[in-house]
Amino acid sequence: MLRFAAIGLDHRHVYDMTAGLIAAGAACVGHDPETTDPRVLNGFRKRFPQVPAVDRERLLDDPSIDFIVLCAGPCDRAGVAIEAMRRGKDVMVDKPGVTTAEQLAAVEAAVRQTGRIWSICLGRLTSPSVQAALRVVRSGELGRLVHLTSLAPHRLNRALRPAWFFERDAYGGIINDIGVHAIDQFLAFADAPDASIAAATIGCFGTAADIAPSGFEDFAEFSLRAAGVSGNMLGTMRLDWFTPDGLPDWGDGRLFLVGTEGTLELRKNLDIEGRAGGNHMFVANQQRTRYCDCSDLPVTYYRDFLDDVRDRSGGMMENGRVFTVCRLALRCQATAVRFTP
């Protein structure tokens, strides 16, 4: 059985990542209690009472630990990941895996030098509905894919956020932070190795004046172009922190695909006046429309990651794709025009 440790309990994503790996057959044998948010640490201990607290250095030095799950503050993730890889461990990291181009270059160098796996837990990999939509696209039902629109609203939950969440240098900007999901998703649907940036805009529209000067951004919109296997494709992505409290989820994530022979829509989180739960897919082709509840479809990311750690197959997600996604996110963030309302 593969063994792992949780280091950097600074974001609640560590709960799902740890639970997913345990369900896939791995054993969590320790957690580093160092945190910038005691609420996350308490939540981890409540969910995984059997996992002992162990000093970070001991976890990194333990040769029986195969990999680490890393949810430290975003600007600290690259350094911890590099240290872990140099000590013989693979890494599954929360997004964003890096916050600067220099960090990305250092991570790439560490992967080359050590041969270790550095995997970012991206939304596409853990979403049943996105995986279902990819199968529809690859079946040819929609014809040649022409355009993708991704909407990713989030709830701010200001009272629950640690200080680093609002500091531009700490989290890397809105596109680098949550936009990395959309970029990875776009490349997957375009079946393209890379993309070019057509336009990018960021701004701070509704956030309280006392945190706006720190560089926090609550809205972004950007467009990408890609030359995929079946032809050129365009994509428009919108990100924001404006999910209203009245919505019964953290956001109404949606995806729209336009093909030459059909269209597809995903409502990832909820159907606000209809069916219960999330992972709703709607398809229209030349003959009919259909609905698919994707909520019970299996998510294989955690199992695939363990297979890669075990047999070094690289089948789950090549590091080259992860680096491309990060590079695009950083470039898009750096070149975005800041809009002042």
Side-chain angles (χ1 to χ4, degrees):
M1 177 182 289
L2 294 174
R3 294 159 53 88
F4 73 97
I7 295 179
L9 274 63
D10 296 283
H11 196 294
R12 287 169 173 80
H13 288 160
V14 71
Y15 306 155
D16 289 340
M17 294 163 71
T18 301
L21 287 163
I22 292 173
C28 187
V29 297
H31 73 273
D32 172 22
E34 182 180 338
T35 182
T36 59
D37 190 342
R39 292 166 296 192
V40 177
L41 176 60
N42 292 335
F44 185 89
R45 287 173 166 170
K46 182 180 295 185
R47 289 166 174 79
F48 309 104
Q50 76 282 9
V51 179
V54 182
D55 176 75
R56 176 179 300 189
E57 291 302 309
R58 284 181 56 198
L59 293 174
L60 291 174
D61 283 335
D62 187 342
S64 73
I65 293 175
D66 300 288
F67 65 94
I68 67 166
V69 165
L70 178 55
C71 289
C75 65
D76 298 325
R77 290 172 188 169
V80 179
I82 290 169
E83 193 60 35
M85 288 188 284
R86 286 175 176 165
R87 299 197 205 185
K89 291 169 176 50
D90 296 315
V91 178
M92 176 187 287
V93 62
D94 187 21
K95 62 79 198 164
V98 296
T99 56
T100 67
E102 292 75 18
Q103 288 182 1
L104 179 60
V107 168
E108 289 188 82
V111 169
R112 287 194 302 270
Q113 293 162 4
T114 65
R116 309 314 303 181
I117 295 169
W118 183 74
S119 176
I120 300 179
C121 187
L122 293 164
R124 169 179 66 88
L125 302 171
T126 59
S127 170
S129 59
V130 173
Q131 293 301 310
L134 280 166
R135 286 193 288 272
V136 171
V137 168
R138 290 166 182 169
S139 75
E141 182 178 353
L142 304 186
R144 185 175 72 82
L145 210 56
V146 176
H147 192 273
L148 173 153
T149 301
S150 173
L151 309 180
H154 288 62
R155 178 173 287 123
L156 184 59
N157 280 332
R158 180 179 176 181
L160 299 178
R161 303 295 182 178
W164 60 257
F165 179 85
F166 300 100
E167 297 170 2
R168 171 64 177 75
D169 290 342
Y171 76 96
I174 188 172
I175 298 177
N176 184 63
D177 181 13
I178 55 179
V180 69
H181 290 305
I183 292 170
D184 171 65
Q185 183 176 248
F186 174 77
L187 290 179
F189 279 103
D191 198 11
D194 207 340
S196 60
I197 302 166
T201 303
I202 55 177
C204 187
F205 290 80
T207 308
D210 62 317
I211 57 174
S214 65
F216 184 67
E217 298 148 1
D218 57 22
F219 184 90
E221 184 177 68
F222 59 98
S223 299
L224 300 177
R225 301 189 187 101
V229 172
S230 60
N232 294 328
M233 181 175 155
L234 304 174
T236 301
M237 277 61 70
R238 190 198 79 202
L239 323 165
D240 68 68
W241 288 101
F242 293 132
T243 293
D245 288 342
L247 199 74
D249 205 294
W250 55 262
D252 185 10
R254 302 174 75 177
L255 177 72
F256 302 87
L257 301 174
V258 177
T260 56
E261 301 295 327
T263 61
L264 183 151
E265 177 184 353
L266 295 184
R267 298 200 73 138
K268 299 180 181 179
N269 301 72
L270 52 90
D271 189 357
I272 59 173
E273 288 293 339
R275 302 165 179 88
N279 289 293
H280 305 282
M281 181 169 72
F282 306 87
V283 181
N285 57 34
Q286 299 290 16
Q287 289 77 41
R288 63 188 179 104
T289 63
R290 61 188 175 88
Y291 165 77
C292 179
D293 178 358
C294 304
S295 57
D296 291 331
L297 298 179
V299 170
T300 65
Y301 168 64
Y302 299 108
R303 185 186 68 206
D304 294 342
F305 176 84
L306 295 181
D307 286 345
D308 280 358
V309 170
R310 188 179 296 108
D311 59 29
R312 321 309 290 179
S313 63
M316 180 271 301
M317 190 178 189
E318 294 289 346
N319 274 320
R321 165 61 69 81
V322 176
F323 297 147
T324 298
V325 169
C326 292
R327 193 172 297 111
L328 268 173
L330 290 165
R331 191 182 306 145
C332 198
Q333 179 72 49
T335 58
V337 175
R338 189 173 184 93
F339 184 81
T340 303

